[in-house]
Amino acid sequence: MKMALRWYGPGYDTVELKNIKQIPGIQGVVTSLMGKLPGEVWTDEGIAGIKAAAAESGLEILAFESINISDDIKIGTNKRDEHIANYIKSLEAAGKAGIKVICYNFMPVFDWTRTDLWREREDGSFTLAYNQDIIDQVNIDDLKESMEKMSGGHLLPGWEPERLERIRDLFAAYKDVTEEILFQNLVYFLNEIEAVCNKYDIKMAIHPDDPAWPIFGLPRIITNKEQIVRLLSTVDKPHNNLTFCSGSLGTNPANDMVDIIHAAKGRIPFAHLRNVRHNSATDFEESAHLSRDGSVDMFALIKALHDTGFEGIYRPDHGRMIWGEKALPGYGLYDRALGAAYMEGIWEALEKVGM
């Protein structure tokens, strides 16, 4: 079991590696080549560069999050096989560099969705939030301007300018893609990359959809236990795994996340742990990692990981902006450091008490 922190790389992240290194329990970072668009090849040189940057601060890269999958692969266009061939080259480069875990998602158009990146909480901190009533009123033509205004000048992964510029075309391309078509395209992708994953012992860890239900009429296929179990059983191979994300699965109170961890036992090489607070049936916000600050029982989740023999990578996921910090939304230093210490404390207690 290794604790990591998400780091976006030189020129993209407001948090310095030397400060990440000072967080007790942190053994490395998970990162990506932010300049690469979905469908492009990750090169040996690009990976070597970001590995060297991490190594200078005494940190290793524990996983890539994410080598993004193009919409052509998700939709199944005539460019799908070309983009899968490029993806295989990227996995080859990652494998040669010793990277064994790849977090990815199969969400149409958006990697994640929030309606507010700077909601002020009662304690004076700022956090990411979602209100379904707002989403229901959104005109997709206004998304580019809205996200640029909310981002505070930061490049938001999954909401890159190139993607926002063609948002209308992307929606049109998905108009005939059902949940079943999307699922079968995922299965096709996983089968095509099996050989390279086996060669380098790479575990592909799919990230749940965020939030865990369809939005803007787009299909979502990794939102609950049934869908996760179906994927793991349909491609019942060592390279097909789950990134357990309490923040994404926890957006839907109906998800029994302890049950999901047990159902995916042995297939979780990577875990994102964050808390969310449900204010109403249509509104949630990301809270402090502490269980009682939100609606997620963090102790129960970490205990479930411990009980199922989890030996993978885990990280404190999104944090609030506290103590006046200005950073990439959700990815400041201070609150994630508090979360890391809290989770390490729970894990140490479980180990010593032997629960």
Side-chain angles (χ1 to χ4, degrees), residues 54-75:
E56 285 179 10
S57 294
L59 294 165
E60 65 174 315
I61 295 176
L62 299 177
F64 277 145
E65 183 186 347
S66 305
I67 302 180
N68 288 323
I69 297 174
S70 71
D71 288 292
D72 290 280
I73 294 173
K74 296 173 186 177
I75 295 166

Side-chain angles (χ1 to χ4, degrees), residues 135-149:
I135 290 292
D136 291 341
Q137 301 300 318
V138 166
N139 182 331
I140 62 169
D141 293 323
D142 297 330
L143 281 174
K144 181 176 184 294
E145 181 181 357
S146 175
M147 290 304 292
E148 286 176 347
K149 186 180 297 183

